[in-house]
Amino acid sequence: MNEKNNQNEKKEFNDKIEEYIKLGEFNTLEIYKEVDFGVYLRSQEENDEVLLPKRYVNKNFKLGDIIEVFVYSDSEDRYVATNEKPFAKLGEFGNFEVVDTSKFGAFVDWGLPKNLFVPLSTQKNKLKKGDKVIGKIKYDEKTDRLYLDAKIGRNIEPAKDFEINDEVRILVLAKTPLGYKVIVNNKHEGMIFENEIFEKIKVGDKKLAYVKNNREDGKLDISLQPIGKSRDVAFDKVLEVLKEKKEINLTSKSNPEEIKKVFGISKKAFKTTLQKLKEQNKIELCENGIKIKE
């Protein structure tokens, strides 16, 4: 009976840690050996271990603890663990700054001690120090290294099987005459139209968003608000600002740009919201503005 219990406990323990150590990803591993320069972590696979340097070791850590770390390779291409979080992990797009260049490519800051390499062959335009570049973190099997691929098009797949209002994660890719082009769930291309943006947005932003339409060309129309709920969002925004400022010199006749600057919503949504707030006796409409009722 005890042997069966021990086997069950071992299985439960193994289920908590990774089967093997994965480069470029967050890993859940066991602390199993302490050395002067840190602790070694291991996975289920025999002899599969990685060092967590001393500067990342919490004084409360003890042998047998299971912790989550990110694994990357150091300047000597050895796997190393850290409890710092990179700007993006393997398979994800991110917005990075170029910190150095060489004849073979460029290096970007991705939030870890060792910078990430961008080979010349993966650069859309030749990068120089100080440039901002959006790309996808990928793995090279030949060298066992991570690198950044800045050629966006070959990393995009047609979108299908999305439903209206599906929640997605986006990275803002570029400003266009129509609005902002975005990368959806690290795989697909989408567009947020300019006349549907009522908050601050810029290239490189990561945001939660919603599918408005799955187009026949495999691209997505994206909304920053849940479909059909934009007026509720507007209501919350106006009420929040009024609670903070108490009184604002804007009315339903004010300039649309001034309304958008203060509340981040359209003039149409603002007028509808004022009517709702008035009906609920939450505000007082003055000649030159609006005042919240205490």
Side-chain angles (χ1 to χ4, degrees):
M1 190 68 176
N2 287 337
E3 183 178 347
K4 186 176 181 180
N5 287 339
N6 288 338
Q7 289 176 348
N8 288 337
E9 287 177 7
K10 185 175 181 180
K11 182 180 185 304
E12 288 177 6
F13 180 81
N14 283 341
D15 285 345
K16 294 177 182 177
I17 65 175
E18 304 295 345
E19 184 178 353
Y20 61 93
I21 293 172
K22 304 177 182 70
L23 181 68
E25 298 184 18
F26 291 97
N27 291 251
T28 303
L29 304 170
E30 177 200 2
I31 300 175
Y32 86 102
K33 185 168 64 177
E34 185 176 358
V35 292
D36 291 340
F37 42 88
V39 296
Y40 277 97
L41 313 174
R42 67 180 175 187
S43 66
Q44 294 181 39
E45 189 173 288
E46 188 176 357
N47 298 322
D48 193 22
E49 63 181 30
V50 63
L51 176 70
L52 179 69
K54 192 172 184 176
R55 65 180 178 274
Y56 302 125
V57 177
N58 188 302
K59 63 180 180 179
N60 296 320
F61 284 171
K62 61 183 183 298
L63 296 182
D65 279 356
I66 297 175
I67 62 173
E68 185 180 66
V69 293
F70 185 80
V71 176
Y72 68 109
S73 53
D74 65 13
S75 56
E76 297 181 23
D77 293 328
R78 298 170 301 192
Y79 281 22
V80 63
T82 177
N83 47 28
E84 294 182 343
K85 292 186 177 181
F87 302 149
K89 60 186 179 70
L90 179 63
E92 291 183 345
F93 282 91
N95 184 35
F96 309 93
E97 182 175 351
V98 178
V99 293
D100 200 3
T101 60
S102 74
K103 62 180 180 180
F104 303 109
F107 296 88
V108 296
D109 175 16
W110 64 317
L112 298 179
K114 182 190 175 186
N115 297 319
L116 187 64
F117 185 51
V118 194
L120 279 174
S121 61
T122 73
Q123 298 179 25
K124 186 176 180 181
N125 301 302
K126 191 171 183 180
L127 297 170
K128 59 184 184 297
K129 189 175 180 178
D131 283 348
K132 291 281 190 176
V133 57
I134 289 177
K136 186 174 187 177
I137 298 179
K138 299 172 79 171
Y139 172 71
D140 183 1
E141 290 186 4
K142 291 182 180 179
T143 61
D144 192 29
R145 295 176 184 171
L146 301 172
Y147 68 97
L148 188 71
D149 186 352
K151 291 186 176 179
I152 305 297
R154 63 186 181 187
N155 292 297
I156 296 296
E157 303 173 11
K160 56 183 179 180
D161 300 328
F162 279 92
E163 299 289 340
I164 293 176
N165 245 350
D166 276 354
E167 190 174 277
V168 293
R169 294 198 171 275
I170 63 168
L171 171 67
V172 181
L173 179 61
K175 179 78 171 71
T176 77
L178 294 176
Y180 283 88
K181 188 182 292 187
V182 299
I183 298 169
V184 182
N185 287 352
N186 291 296
K187 290 183 180 181
H188 314 297
E189 183 180 322
M191 173 67 72
I192 306 174
F193 292 98
E194 181 69 38
N195 63 351
E196 297 175 356
I197 299 174
F198 308 118
E199 61 186 73
K200 291 182 180 178
I201 185 173
K202 65 182 185 300
V203 172
D205 282 352
K206 288 186 175 182
K207 290 179 176 287
L208 192 66
Y210 304 87
V211 174
K212 184 178 179 183
N213 183 31
N214 197 156
R215 289 157 38 186
E216 290 184 1
D217 62 1
K219 298 178 182 179
L220 298 166
D221 293 338
I222 298 295
S223 171
L224 293 174
Q225 297 89 27
I227 309 305
K229 297 184 180 180
S230 58
R231 290 184 177 177
D232 292 336
V233 172
F235 184 93
D236 292 340
K237 285 185 176 181
V238 172
L239 194 57
E240 181 182 350
V241 173
L242 280 172
K243 283 181 178 178
E244 179 185 345
K245 299 185 178 295
K246 307 300 182 185
E247 186 174 353
I248 293 179
N249 293 327
L250 288 173
T251 70
S252 58
K253 297 180 181 179
S254 296
N255 184 288
E257 290 302 315
E258 292 180 355
I259 292 171
K260 186 174 180 180
K261 184 177 179 181
V262 175
F263 296 106
I265 61 175
S266 67
K267 183 171 181 175
K268 181 179 179 181
F270 180 63
K271 291 173 71 174
T272 303
T273 298
L274 290 187
Q275 185 61 37
K276 282 186 178 182
L277 289 168
K278 177 66 176 174
E279 289 172 358
Q280 294 181 25
N281 200 33
K282 292 182 180 292
I283 60 169
E284 179 182 345
L285 299 178
C286 309
E287 185 177 350
N288 297 315
I290 47 179
K291 183 188 301 184
I292 193 165
K293 289 189 175 181
E294 299 294 340

